CSV table of all heavy atoms in Angstrom, one decimal:
chain,number,residue,atom,x,y,z
A,1,GLN,N,97.1,94.8,81.3
A,1,GLN,CA,97.7,96.0,81.9
A,1,GLN,C,98.3,96.8,80.8
A,1,GLN,O,98.8,96.3,79.7
A,1,GLN,CB,98.8,95.5,82.8
A,1,GLN,CG,98.3,95.1,84.2
A,1,GLN,CD,99.4,95.1,85.2
A,1,GLN,OE1,99.6,96.2,85.8
A,1,GLN,NE2,100.0,94.0,85.5
A,2,GLY,N,98.4,98.1,81.0
A,2,GLY,CA,99.0,99.0,80.0
A,2,GLY,C,99.9,100.0,80.8
A,2,GLY,O,99.9,100.0,82.0
A,3,TYR,N,100.5,100.9,80.0
A,3,TYR,CA,101.4,101.9,80.6
A,3,TYR,C,101.3,103.2,79.8
A,3,TYR,O,101.1,103.1,78.5
A,3,TYR,CB,102.8,101.4,80.6
A,3,TYR,CG,103.9,102.4,80.8
A,3,TYR,CD1,104.1,103.0,82.1
A,3,TYR,CD2,104.7,102.9,79.8
A,3,TYR,CE1,105.0,104.0,82.3
A,3,TYR,CE2,105.7,103.8,80.0
A,3,TYR,CZ,105.8,104.4,81.2
A,3,TYR,OH,106.8,105.4,81.4
A,4,GLY,N,101.3,104.3,80.5
A,4,GLY,CA,101.3,105.5,79.8
A,4,GLY,C,101.4,106.7,80.7
A,4,GLY,O,101.6,106.5,81.9
A,5,LEU,N,101.4,107.9,80.1
A,5,LEU,CA,101.5,109.1,80.9
A,5,LEU,C,100.5,110.1,80.4
A,5,LEU,O,100.1,110.0,79.2
A,5,LEU,CB,102.9,109.8,80.7
A,5,LEU,CG,104.1,108.9,81.0
A,5,LEU,CD1,105.4,109.7,80.4
A,5,LEU,CD2,104.3,108.6,82.4
A,6,THR,N,100.1,111.1,81.2
A,6,THR,CA,99.2,112.1,80.7
A,6,THR,C,99.9,112.8,79.5
A,6,THR,O,99.3,113.1,78.5
A,6,THR,CB,99.0,113.2,81.8
A,6,THR,OG1,98.3,112.5,82.9
A,6,THR,CG2,98.0,114.3,81.3
A,7,GLU,N,101.2,112.9,79.6
A,7,GLU,CA,102.0,113.6,78.5
A,7,GLU,C,102.0,112.8,77.2
A,7,GLU,O,102.4,113.4,76.2
A,7,GLU,CB,103.5,113.8,79.0
A,7,GLU,CG,103.6,114.9,80.0
A,7,GLU,CD,103.4,114.4,81.5
A,7,GLU,OE1,102.8,113.3,81.7
A,7,GLU,OE2,103.8,115.1,82.4
A,8,THR,N,101.5,111.6,77.2
A,8,THR,CA,101.5,110.8,76.0
A,8,THR,C,100.0,110.4,75.6
A,8,THR,O,99.8,109.5,74.9
A,8,THR,CB,102.3,109.5,76.1
A,8,THR,OG1,101.9,108.7,77.2
A,8,THR,CG2,103.8,109.9,76.2
A,9,SER,N,99.1,111.1,76.2
A,9,SER,CA,97.6,111.1,75.8
A,9,SER,C,96.8,109.8,76.1
A,9,SER,O,95.7,109.7,75.5
A,9,SER,CB,97.5,111.4,74.3
A,9,SER,OG,98.2,112.5,73.9
A,10,PRO,N,96.9,108.9,76.9
A,10,PRO,CA,98.1,108.7,77.8
A,10,PRO,C,98.8,107.3,77.4
A,10,PRO,O,99.9,107.0,77.9
A,10,PRO,CB,97.5,108.5,79.1
A,10,PRO,CG,96.2,107.8,78.9
A,10,PRO,CD,95.8,108.2,77.5
A,11,VAL,N,98.2,106.5,76.5
A,11,VAL,CA,98.7,105.1,76.3
A,11,VAL,C,100.0,105.1,75.5
A,11,VAL,O,100.1,105.7,74.4
A,11,VAL,CB,97.6,104.2,75.6
A,11,VAL,CG1,98.1,102.8,75.6
A,11,VAL,CG2,96.3,104.4,76.4
A,12,ILE,N,101.0,104.4,76.1
A,12,ILE,CA,102.2,104.1,75.4
A,12,ILE,C,102.2,102.6,74.9
A,12,ILE,O,102.5,102.3,73.8
A,12,ILE,CB,103.4,104.4,76.3
A,12,ILE,CG1,103.6,105.9,76.5
A,12,ILE,CG2,104.7,103.8,75.7
A,12,ILE,CD1,104.6,106.2,77.6
A,13,SER,N,101.8,101.8,75.8
A,13,SER,CA,101.8,100.3,75.5
A,13,SER,C,100.7,99.6,76.2
A,13,SER,O,100.1,100.2,77.2
A,13,SER,CB,103.1,99.7,75.9
A,13,SER,OG,103.3,99.7,77.3
A,14,VAL,N,100.3,98.4,75.7
A,14,VAL,CA,99.3,97.6,76.4
A,14,VAL,C,99.5,96.2,76.0
A,14,VAL,O,100.0,95.9,74.9
A,14,VAL,CB,97.9,98.2,76.0
A,14,VAL,CG1,97.6,97.9,74.5
A,14,VAL,CG2,96.8,97.6,76.9
A,15,ASN,N,99.1,95.3,76.8
A,15,ASN,CA,99.1,93.9,76.5
A,15,ASN,C,98.0,93.5,75.5
A,15,ASN,O,97.0,94.2,75.4
A,15,ASN,CB,98.9,93.0,77.7
A,15,ASN,CG,100.3,92.8,78.4
A,15,ASN,OD1,101.1,92.0,77.9
A,15,ASN,ND2,100.5,93.4,79.5
A,16,GLU,N,98.1,92.4,74.8
A,16,GLU,CA,97.1,91.9,73.9
A,16,GLU,C,96.5,90.7,74.5
A,16,GLU,O,97.2,89.9,75.2
A,16,GLU,CB,97.6,91.6,72.5
A,16,GLU,CG,98.2,92.8,71.8
A,16,GLU,CD,98.9,92.4,70.5
A,16,GLU,OE1,98.3,92.1,69.5
A,16,GLU,OE2,100.2,92.3,70.6
A,17,PRO,N,95.2,90.4,74.3
A,17,PRO,CA,94.6,89.2,74.8
A,17,PRO,C,95.4,87.9,74.4
A,17,PRO,O,95.5,87.0,75.2
A,17,PRO,CB,93.2,89.2,74.2
A,17,PRO,CG,92.9,90.6,74.0
A,17,PRO,CD,94.2,91.2,73.6
A,18,SER,N,95.9,87.8,73.2
A,18,SER,CA,96.6,86.6,72.8
A,18,SER,C,98.0,86.6,73.2
A,18,SER,O,98.7,85.5,73.1
A,18,SER,CB,96.5,86.6,71.2
A,18,SER,OG,97.2,87.7,70.7
A,19,SER,N,98.5,87.6,73.8
A,19,SER,CA,99.9,87.7,74.3
A,19,SER,C,99.9,88.5,75.5
A,19,SER,O,100.5,89.6,75.5
A,19,SER,CB,100.8,88.2,73.2
A,19,SER,OG,102.2,88.3,73.6
A,20,ASN,N,99.4,88.0,76.6
A,20,ASN,CA,99.1,88.8,77.8
A,20,ASN,C,100.1,88.3,78.9
A,20,ASN,O,99.9,87.2,79.4
A,20,ASN,CB,97.7,88.6,78.2
A,20,ASN,CG,97.3,89.4,79.5
A,20,ASN,OD1,98.1,90.3,79.8
A,20,ASN,ND2,96.2,89.1,80.1
A,21,ASP,N,101.0,89.2,79.2
A,21,ASP,CA,101.9,88.9,80.3
A,21,ASP,C,101.6,89.8,81.5
A,21,ASP,O,101.9,91.0,81.4
A,21,ASP,CB,103.4,89.1,79.9
A,21,ASP,CG,104.4,88.8,81.0
A,21,ASP,OD1,104.0,88.5,82.1
A,21,ASP,OD2,105.6,89.0,80.8
A,22,PRO,N,100.9,89.4,82.5
A,22,PRO,CA,100.5,90.3,83.6
A,22,PRO,C,101.7,90.9,84.3
A,22,PRO,O,101.5,91.9,85.1
A,22,PRO,CB,99.8,89.3,84.6
A,22,PRO,CG,99.4,88.1,83.7
A,22,PRO,CD,100.5,88.0,82.7
A,23,GLY,N,102.9,90.4,84.1
A,23,GLY,CA,104.1,91.0,84.8
A,23,GLY,C,104.7,92.1,83.9
A,23,GLY,O,105.7,92.7,84.2
A,24,SER,N,104.0,92.4,82.7
A,24,SER,CA,104.6,93.4,81.8
A,24,SER,C,103.5,94.4,81.5
A,24,SER,O,102.3,94.3,81.9
A,24,SER,CB,105.1,92.8,80.6
A,24,SER,OG,104.0,92.5,79.7
A,25,VAL,N,103.9,95.4,80.7
A,25,VAL,CA,102.9,96.4,80.2
A,25,VAL,C,102.7,96.3,78.7
A,25,VAL,O,102.1,97.2,78.1
A,25,VAL,CB,103.3,97.9,80.6
A,25,VAL,CG1,103.2,98.1,82.1
A,25,VAL,CG2,104.7,98.2,80.1
A,26,GLY,N,103.0,95.2,78.2
A,26,GLY,CA,102.8,94.9,76.8
A,26,GLY,C,103.7,95.6,75.8
A,26,GLY,O,104.8,96.0,76.2
A,27,ARG,N,103.3,95.7,74.6
A,27,ARG,CA,104.2,96.4,73.6
A,27,ARG,C,103.6,97.7,73.2
A,27,ARG,O,102.4,98.0,73.4
A,27,ARG,CB,104.4,95.5,72.4
A,27,ARG,CG,103.2,95.1,71.6
A,27,ARG,CD,103.5,94.1,70.5
A,27,ARG,NE,102.3,93.8,69.7
A,27,ARG,CZ,101.9,94.4,68.6
A,27,ARG,NH1,102.5,95.5,68.2
A,27,ARG,NH2,100.8,94.0,68.0
A,28,ALA,N,104.4,98.6,72.6
A,28,ALA,CA,104.0,99.9,72.2
A,28,ALA,C,102.8,99.8,71.2
A,28,ALA,O,102.8,99.0,70.3
A,28,ALA,CB,105.1,100.7,71.6
A,29,ILE,N,101.9,100.8,71.3
A,29,ILE,CA,100.8,100.8,70.4
A,29,ILE,C,101.2,101.4,69.0
A,29,ILE,O,102.3,101.9,68.9
A,29,ILE,CB,99.6,101.6,70.9
A,29,ILE,CG1,100.0,103.1,71.1
A,29,ILE,CG2,99.1,101.1,72.2
A,29,ILE,CD1,98.8,104.1,71.4
A,30,GLN,N,100.3,101.3,68.0
A,30,GLN,CA,100.6,101.7,66.7
A,30,GLN,C,101.2,103.2,66.6
A,30,GLN,O,100.6,104.1,67.2
A,30,GLN,CB,99.3,101.6,65.9
A,30,GLN,CG,99.5,102.1,64.4
A,30,GLN,CD,98.1,101.9,63.7
A,30,GLN,OE1,97.6,100.9,63.6
A,30,GLN,NE2,97.6,103.0,63.2
A,31,GLY,N,102.3,103.3,65.9
A,31,GLY,CA,102.9,104.6,65.7
A,31,GLY,C,103.8,105.1,66.8
A,31,GLY,O,104.4,106.2,66.7
A,32,VAL,N,103.9,104.3,67.9
A,32,VAL,CA,104.7,104.8,69.0
A,32,VAL,C,106.1,104.0,69.0
A,32,VAL,O,106.1,102.8,68.9
A,32,VAL,CB,104.0,104.5,70.4
A,32,VAL,CG1,104.9,104.8,71.5
A,32,VAL,CG2,102.7,105.4,70.4
A,33,GLU,N,107.1,104.8,69.2
A,33,GLU,CA,108.5,104.2,69.3
A,33,GLU,C,108.9,104.4,70.7
A,33,GLU,O,108.7,105.4,71.4
A,33,GLU,CB,109.5,104.9,68.4
A,33,GLU,CG,109.2,104.8,66.9
A,33,GLU,CD,110.2,105.7,66.1
A,33,GLU,OE1,111.4,105.3,66.1
A,33,GLU,OE2,109.8,106.7,65.6
A,34,VAL,N,109.6,103.4,71.2
A,34,VAL,CA,110.2,103.4,72.6
A,34,VAL,C,111.7,103.0,72.5
A,34,VAL,O,112.1,102.2,71.7
A,34,VAL,CB,109.5,102.5,73.6
A,34,VAL,CG1,108.1,103.0,73.8
A,34,VAL,CG2,109.4,101.1,73.1
A,35,ARG,N,112.5,103.6,73.4
A,35,ARG,CA,113.9,103.3,73.5
A,35,ARG,C,114.4,103.5,74.9
A,35,ARG,O,113.7,104.3,75.7
A,35,ARG,CB,114.7,104.0,72.5
A,35,ARG,CG,114.9,105.5,72.9
A,35,ARG,CD,115.7,106.2,71.8
A,35,ARG,NE,116.0,107.6,72.3
A,35,ARG,CZ,116.6,108.5,71.5
A,35,ARG,NH1,117.0,108.2,70.3
A,35,ARG,NH2,116.9,109.8,72.0
A,36,ILE,N,115.5,102.9,75.3
A,36,ILE,CA,116.1,103.2,76.6
A,36,ILE,C,117.2,104.2,76.4
A,36,ILE,O,118.1,104.0,75.6
A,36,ILE,CB,116.7,101.9,77.2
A,36,ILE,CG1,115.6,100.8,77.3
A,36,ILE,CG2,117.3,102.1,78.5
A,36,ILE,CD1,114.5,101.1,78.2
A,37,GLY,N,117.1,105.3,77.1
A,37,GLY,CA,118.1,106.4,77.0
A,37,GLY,C,119.1,106.3,78.0
A,37,GLY,O,119.4,105.3,78.7
A,38,LYS,N,119.7,107.5,78.3
A,38,LYS,CA,120.7,107.6,79.4
A,38,LYS,C,120.1,107.3,80.7
A,38,LYS,O,118.9,107.6,81.0
A,38,LYS,CB,121.3,109.0,79.4
A,38,LYS,CG,122.3,109.2,78.2
A,38,LYS,CD,123.1,110.5,78.4
A,38,LYS,CE,122.2,111.7,78.1
A,38,LYS,NZ,123.0,113.0,78.2
A,39,ASP,N,120.9,106.7,81.6
A,39,ASP,CA,120.5,106.3,83.0
A,39,ASP,C,119.3,105.4,82.9
A,39,ASP,O,118.4,105.4,83.9
A,39,ASP,CB,120.1,107.6,83.8
A,39,ASP,CG,121.3,108.6,83.9
A,39,ASP,OD1,122.4,108.1,84.0
A,39,ASP,OD2,121.1,109.8,83.7
A,40,GLU,N,119.2,104.6,81.9
A,40,GLU,CA,118.1,103.5,81.8
A,40,GLU,C,116.7,104.1,81.7
A,40,GLU,O,115.7,103.5,82.1
A,40,GLU,CB,118.2,102.5,83.0
A,40,GLU,CG,119.5,101.8,83.1
A,40,GLU,CD,119.7,100.8,81.9
A,40,GLU,OE1,118.9,99.9,81.7
A,40,GLU,OE2,120.7,101.1,81.1
A,41,GLU,N,116.6,105.4,81.3
A,41,GLU,CA,115.3,106.0,81.3
A,41,GLU,C,114.6,105.6,80.0
A,41,GLU,O,115.1,105.6,78.9
A,41,GLU,CB,115.4,107.6,81.3
A,41,GLU,CG,114.1,108.3,81.3
A,41,GLU,CD,114.3,109.8,81.3
A,41,GLU,OE1,115.3,110.3,80.9
A,41,GLU,OE2,113.3,110.5,81.7
A,42,LEU,N,113.2,105.4,80.1
A,42,LEU,CA,112.4,105.1,79.0
A,42,LEU,C,112.1,106.3,78.3
A,42,LEU,O,111.6,107.3,78.8
A,42,LEU,CB,111.2,104.3,79.4
A,42,LEU,CG,110.2,103.9,78.3
A,42,LEU,CD1,110.8,102.8,77.4
A,42,LEU,CD2,108.9,103.4,78.8
């Protein structure tokens, strides 16, 4: 599973075969930073 938006072309994060948690959307791909902002917004 992965996660993204059209506004981010679209992939933000994705799971890896060797570290695959189906309950998550994995970690950010190369060059992408993520943080939790105000009101818990990603």
Side-chain angles (χ1 to χ4, degrees):
Q1 284 201 81
Y3 164 72
L5 309 167
T6 301
E7 288 85 344
T8 55
S9 305
V11 185
I12 292 170
S13 66
V14 69
N15 274 286
E16 298 173 78
S18 60
S19 180
N20 183 14
D21 178 2
S24 82
V25 291
R27 63 184 179 89
I29 65 169
Q30 179 180 299
V32 173
E33 298 176 71
V34 292
R35 73 180 187 186
I36 303 297
K38 284 192 285 186
D39 303 319
E40 300 295 298
E41 182 183 21
L42 182 69

